[in-house]
Amino acid sequence: MRGTEFEVELEFEPDAVERTLALYLADGTELLAWGRSVPFVMLSPPGDLAVLMARPGVLSVYPGEVAEPDPDLLAVHAPGRGLMLMSGAGDIALLNETNFDIELGARLSSPPEPGDGAFVADARGRVWRVGVDDGVGAAMYDPGTDVWAVATVTGEDAGARPGAAAVVGAAHDRLYLAGGGTYTDLVALSLDPDEKGVIALAPVAALDGPRTGARLLSLARGDDEVLLLVGGAEADAPAVYFPDGGHALGPAGDWTNIQCIRLDDDEADEAATIDLLCLGGLRGGQPTGDALVLHVPPAVEATEVEERPAFLSAPLADPRLFADDLAVYAQGAAQWWRVDRKDLAVELTETVATRVNGGHSITLGTGVTFLVGGRDLDDRAVDRWWIFAPSLAPM
């Protein structure tokens, strides 16, 4: 265990039943901290299984300082692997989600600039660095072999797309890129290279403009996938755009770096309405605390877009969002807001997190979310990591 003064030992007969070890610390009826392990089976148990515990519904400090803080740090969850980190210099480190040890990996010899493109994982646990500023290019890292492989991108629309929005598809087999530069289309980049390392960039739909600085979302609804863009630098473009059908909705204006999170069940069926909260970012070039509440039915053209001015008590230029069954949370500007899922009541609470902008929030297979990287109030690289354990709904 990490951060405790005791040990727990369990014995099971070997079997193929998938189990998860969970630990709770309470004072009477008050839950102080909790955590759980990744799933495992006793037929092939992990050699070292750790449970990372944190206070529910807040950000807790991860033990230890970051030896070499890097404001340009990139992070992604590689399924079945852990938290994959890449420094601005291209050095790779893996936080193993079984035992939470740090393992060093290879270097990408010529990493794209930190703001250039995307850093994502595919369904096989491989990590991709995709650049867009000088044309669409990609390199793939396999944590199992600790090897980088540069992919060859084919397609007519592989030119420079600075400011393009990006998101991994629901099946984690493709990366969608929307607009950017002079492009006004949505394309899909395969994350499944052939034997020669070739991946294809294929057109998907037209956009109503470059949508530079927008947020691209991929929302699972049953076996379907709903794609939508929120925001963008165009002064006359509505805030919400559905590429499939070309439906544009909501208030118009320049709104970049907005962040969105689902309020409904992520496993909703095909007939369900998807509820979203989008907030913060830069509106008209200025930090904003405004928000949008979206209700997306199966017929997306009937989507309801509700604008909520001054939703947060202070402007939040670069939010990071978290969620549990009771609330969603926004962090940024060294502040922490709690938003109740039922009535969207907002509460500003104290926090230990000093992050102002930059950095990443990444949820691991244990259910714990890490907040890493970024800059603090003095514009210095943040030298701490934070962890978020969801609040637990009462039984």
Side-chain angles (χ1 to χ4, degrees):
M1 301 297 169
R2 300 296 173 95
T4 62
E5 298 296 332
F6 57 87
E7 295 183 355
V8 175
E9 184 174 334
L10 301 173
E11 292 186 6
F12 290 91
E13 292 295 328
D15 58 33
V17 176
E18 190 172 81
R19 292 182 171 88
T20 300
L21 176 63
L23 182 63
Y24 305 87
L25 293 181
D27 182 5
T29 59
E30 181 184 1
L31 180 63
L32 302 177
W34 76 282
R36 60 172 173 247
S37 73
V38 292
F40 63 95
V41 295
M42 295 306 296
L43 279 176
S44 56
D48 189 8
L49 185 67
V51 175
L52 183 63
M53 302 181 67
R55 294 178 297 157
V58 298
L59 286 175
S60 301
V61 179
Y62 184 72
E65 287 192 33
V66 178
E68 297 180 2
D70 183 355
D72 298 327
L73 185 72
L74 298 173
V76 68
H77 176 227
R81 308 286 189 175
L83 179 62
M84 185 73 63
L85 304 163
M86 187 170 84
S87 72
D91 294 313
I92 287 290
L94 174 69
L95 179 74
N96 188 304
E97 62 185 339
T98 300
N99 56 27
F100 294 99
D101 288 338
I102 297 287
E103 306 166 4
L104 298 181
R107 166 179 284 200
L108 179 57
S109 58
S110 300
E113 292 299 319
D116 173 20
F119 192 54
V120 299
D122 64 23
R124 296 174 58 182
R126 302 171 302 190
V127 175
W128 291 80
R129 185 70 177 111
V130 178
V132 296
D133 283 357
D134 297 317
V136 179
M140 183 193 74
Y141 176 75
D142 187 332
T145 60
D146 193 24
V147 172
W148 280 99
V150 176
T152 300
V153 179
T154 62
E156 296 180 359
D157 299 323
R161 293 175 172 265
V167 71
V168 175
H172 289 265
D173 60 349
R174 65 184 65 187
L175 178 74
Y176 293 105
L177 298 171
T182 60
Y183 284 93
T184 57
D185 60 353
L186 174 72
V187 294
L189 180 68
S190 169
L191 298 181
D192 186 19
D194 64 18
E195 64 278 1
K196 296 183 179 179
V198 176
I199 53 177
L201 187 71
V204 175
L207 304 180
D208 59 348
R211 289 277 173 174
T212 304
R215 188 67 52 197
L216 179 59
L217 306 176
S218 170
L219 308 174
R221 183 196 274 131
D223 294 330
D224 294 335
E225 180 179 33
V226 179
L227 295 173
L228 72 153
L229 281 152
V230 182
E234 291 79 8
D236 58 350
V240 179
Y241 184 80
F242 293 92
D244 185 9
H247 307 293
L249 307 160
D254 176 358
W255 197 340
T256 59
N257 208 35
I258 190 171
Q259 299 283 346
C260 301
I261 195 166
R262 286 182 75 151
L263 296 170
D264 64 298
D265 183 0
D266 288 353
E267 298 181 357
D269 62 32
E270 290 86 348
T273 293
I274 297 173
D275 298 321
L276 292 170
L277 173 65
C278 301
L279 55 79
L282 302 175
R283 196 168 190 185
Q286 298 298 316
T288 184
D290 297 349
L292 298 173
V293 180
L294 279 60
H295 305 287
V296 186
V300 297
E301 65 273 18
T303 294
E304 298 178 19
V305 181
E306 176 188 352
E307 184 178 1
R308 296 209 176 187
F311 182 73
L312 301 179
S313 55
L316 189 55
D318 193 17
R320 295 292 175 268
L321 303 182
F322 304 78
D324 57 33
D325 291 340
L326 303 178
V328 297
Y329 307 83
Q331 194 284 329
Q335 299 188 84
W336 179 258
W337 284 268
R338 181 186 187 276
V339 182
D340 188 272
R341 280 184 178 273
K342 290 184 178 180
D343 58 10
L344 297 186
V346 184
E347 178 185 8
L348 177 64
T349 62
E350 294 184 358
T351 181
V352 297
T354 59
R355 174 197 161 273
V356 170
N357 54 56
H360 300 262
S361 56
I362 309 294
T363 301
L364 303 187
T366 61
V368 167
T369 300
F370 273 71
L371 178 61
V372 302
R375 295 182 180 273
D376 62 17
L377 287 165
D378 296 319
D379 201 34
R380 296 176 302 192
V382 171
D383 62 357
R384 299 281 184 180
W385 294 354
W386 295 277
I387 52 175
F388 171 79
S391 293
L392 299 178
M395 300 297 290

